[in-house]
Amino acid sequence: MWSYYDENEKVSRLSDEVVDEIRWKNGIHIEGEDCPKPIESFHDLNLPPELSTYLAKKNFQVPTPIQMQSLSCVMSGRDIIGLAETGSGKTLAYSLPLCMLLRTKAPSNPGDTPVALILTPTRELMQQVFMNVSEMLDVIRCPGNPVCGGVPVSTQTIALREGADVVVATPGRLLDLCKRGALCLDKITYLVMDEADRMLGMGMEEQLRKIVGLATGTSRARQTLLWSATLPESLERLARSAVLNPITIQVGPGGLIAPSVQQNVVFLYHYQKPQKLLETLRTTPYPPVIVFTSSIQNVDYVTELLKQEQFHASGLHSEKPQDYRFKLVKAFRDGKVDILVATDVASRGLDFPEVTHVINYDLPDTIECYIHRCGRTGRIGHHGIATSFLTLDCKIAEELKEMLERETVNR
């Protein structure tokens, strides 16, 4: 794989002992051969002026631990398995190298197929990632296209005919467009799977394997980046066929919640949940808050309950119209909605930096899902609270107990 990384002289001079100390201080663990040295500043990347100005305007001052190690690795052309808590800055860790890569190629023309593909598990996360990546693509004047369900196929087909260097997509609609002949992946040289563990947990392994197959045998070697908060067996299985000689980067203990999140577990019976929810919300100092439930019916029930109690709440689940879902996510992010009641459609990577409290009205069926839910609060530089209502029929009680005990030891 080709490299588009120009190592800063200061980084080149770092001794192995200093490199080990940087990694140790930042909780960075690596596996793989010939791993590039980590950076400590964005200035170490020798970025072009337009990208340096963009980072300054967005107030990206110091790279997060996952960015410190992954940026040099990705820009060196290596395949990556990146494991870090949600909210750790993984989006910038793949979008900044993407922009550096695109600067090395000629702009796309109408009819050109994409060279970069970013996969996300849900429509909401696709929209969020596309908005973030588009800002950077605008800086280097490269086009991108969003692809997901809930939007007319004809609209997306017309947009793709105009040509795009980058496509951000959900797997189902992407494969549908490929089957229709509206999209070809034979020139993909930069493949990103964001929230890979969530896509696998949603039963998308076969779809991801098909996409990897369609993007294999391109004219140039393909670079593949797998990003995840956890490392389930299915991700290891996928990695064996998707990445080549990868560097695995793990920040912090695997599968744990960020230290900035205070976890509270409340033992109760089902009939006590509504009253306990109201008490918990009334003692929450200020919004925004996310309440997670296990079903669409419970989203509607809890939303109505909160409205009756004069809380400014709205519900989000898969049966809501797509346009409504996009608008609600934006309204919540903009502070126009205090409480978002949702199924796990809101747990997968959506970035709400100011969320103060996550409440698991119903606990999920897997510990990985619990980790993703708690990751909606306590995001970069913020503190948060995660309160969970634990009932006798909880399927993850033992795993949750073990995880909380491990975290107590590690803190």
Side-chain angles (χ1 to χ4, degrees), residues 125-192:
L125 181 56
M126 183 284 302
Q127 185 194 40
Q128 174 184 292
V129 169
F130 180 72
M131 289 171 59
N132 292 337
V133 172
S134 291
E135 288 183 353
M136 299 191 71
L137 293 178
D138 288 344
V139 171
I140 61 171
R141 296 182 175 84
C142 283
N145 265 326
V147 167
C148 71
V151 178
V153 170
S154 58
T155 301
Q156 294 177 343
T157 300
I158 292 171
L160 289 168
R161 286 175 187 157
E162 296 298 317
D165 291 313
V166 182
V167 167
V168 183
T170 53
R173 176 55 64 89
L174 179 82
L175 287 172
D176 182 32
L177 289 170
C178 290
K179 186 177 180 180
R180 293 169 183 263
L183 181 61
C184 183
L185 305 182
D186 63 353
K187 292 185 180 178
I188 295 296
T189 56
Y190 193 87
L191 174 62
V192 178

Side-chain angles (χ1 to χ4, degrees), residues 4 136 254 268 292:
Y4 41 100
M136 299 191 71
L268 40 57
F292 283 109

Side-chain angles (χ1 to χ4, degrees), residues 64-350:
T64 64
I66 189 66
Q67 293 165 358
M68 292 173 70
Q69 184 60 77
S70 62
L71 284 169
S72 59
C73 291
V74 178
M75 290 185 186
S76 295
R78 298 295 298 273
D79 283 7
I80 294 293
I81 301 173
L83 306 171
E85 63 198 29
T86 55
S88 59
K90 294 190 287 284
T91 303
L92 185 68
Y94 63 72
S95 55
L96 187 57
L98 171 59
C99 289
M100 292 294 288
L101 170 64
L102 291 175
R103 291 181 77 255
T104 67
K105 69 174 287 294
S108 63
N109 296 309
D112 284 355
T113 56
V115 297
L117 173 63
I118 301 171
L119 297 172
T120 68
T122 66
R123 302 169 186 177
E124 288 76 17
L125 181 56
M126 183 284 302
Q127 185 194 40
Q128 174 184 292
V129 169
F130 180 72
M131 289 171 59
N132 292 337
V133 172
S134 291
E135 288 183 353
M136 299 191 71
L137 293 178
D138 288 344
V139 171
I140 61 171
R141 296 182 175 84
C142 283
N145 265 326
V147 167
C148 71
V151 178
V153 170
S154 58
T155 301
Q156 294 177 343
T157 300
I158 292 171
L160 289 168
R161 286 175 187 157
E162 296 298 317
D165 291 313
V166 182
V167 167
V168 183
T170 53
R173 176 55 64 89
L174 179 82
L175 287 172
D176 182 32
L177 289 170
C178 290
K179 186 177 180 180
R180 293 169 183 263
L183 181 61
C184 183
L185 305 182
D186 63 353
K187 292 185 180 178
I188 295 296
T189 56
Y190 193 87
L191 174 62
V192 178
M193 297 187 193
D194 198 353
E195 302 280 346
D197 53 346
R198 295 304 305 147
M199 287 192 279
L200 292 167
M202 295 167 68
M204 296 181 181
E205 183 171 356
E206 183 178 349
Q207 291 179 323
L208 295 179
R209 289 187 179 279
K210 286 182 180 178
I211 292 169
V212 169
L214 291 171
T216 298
T218 57
S219 55
R220 298 177 71 178
R222 187 191 74 233
Q223 182 178 13
T224 303
L225 315 177
L226 303 182
W227 300 97
S228 179
T230 61
L231 186 60
E233 182 182 341
S234 55
L235 181 58
E236 296 185 73
R237 191 166 57 239
L238 176 66
R240 285 194 287 271
S241 60
V243 295
L244 180 65
N245 189 26
I247 295 174
T248 299
I249 306 168
Q250 180 174 313
V251 174
L256 298 189
I257 308 299
S260 57
V261 179
Q262 173 189 323
Q263 296 175 74
N264 303 324
V265 178
V266 181
F267 299 88
L268 40 57
Y269 293 103
H270 280 282
Y271 75 87
Q272 295 174 307
K273 282 184 177 183
Q275 185 59 37
K276 192 62 182 178
L277 175 62
L278 297 176
E279 292 174 6
T280 303
L281 288 172
R282 285 169 181 150
T283 56
T284 298
Y286 46 86
V289 176
I290 301 179
V291 179
F292 283 109
T293 76
S294 61
S295 67
I296 292 172
Q297 292 77 14
N298 275 1
V299 167
D300 294 337
Y301 167 74
V302 171
T303 302
E304 187 59 31
L305 169 69
L306 296 181
K307 287 181 177 179
Q308 290 175 3
E309 294 294 326
Q310 305 304 309
F311 287 101
H312 190 191
S314 292
L316 178 68
H317 55 65
S318 60
E319 290 188 359
K320 299 284 187 181
Q322 189 60 58
D323 187 53
Y324 169 85
R325 289 162 62 178
F326 284 160
K327 288 180 179 178
L328 176 54
V329 167
K330 184 177 187 303
F332 184 65
R333 185 177 288 118
D334 292 344
K336 297 176 182 177
V337 174
D338 291 339
I339 303 171
L340 183 68
V341 185
T343 56
D344 285 313
V345 73
S347 74
R348 297 153 189 153
L350 289 179

Side-chain angles (χ1 to χ4, degrees), residues 24-25 27 29 85 250-261 263 400-411:
W24 179 78
K25 285 183 176 179
H29 309 274
E85 63 198 29
Q250 180 174 313
V251 174
L256 298 189
I257 308 299
S260 57
V261 179
Q263 296 175 74
L400 180 58
K401 178 175 177 285
E402 291 174 1
M403 190 183 75
L404 292 173
E405 288 173 346
R406 289 204 314 273
E407 293 191 339
T408 300
V409 170
N410 280 287
R411 291 183 185 184

Side-chain angles (χ1 to χ4, degrees), residues 326-376:
F326 284 160
K327 288 180 179 178
L328 176 54
V329 167
K330 184 177 187 303
F332 184 65
R333 185 177 288 118
D334 292 344
K336 297 176 182 177
V337 174
D338 291 339
I339 303 171
L340 183 68
V341 185
T343 56
D344 285 313
V345 73
S347 74
R348 297 153 189 153
L350 289 179
D351 186 19
F352 303 121
E354 306 299 328
V355 169
T356 61
H357 201 160
V358 163
I359 301 173
N360 287 306
Y361 185 86
D362 302 316
L363 276 163
D365 290 341
T366 67
I367 199 69
E368 290 83 10
C369 190
Y370 173 81
I371 291 170
H372 278 274
R373 286 183 180 187
C374 293
R376 297 314 98 208

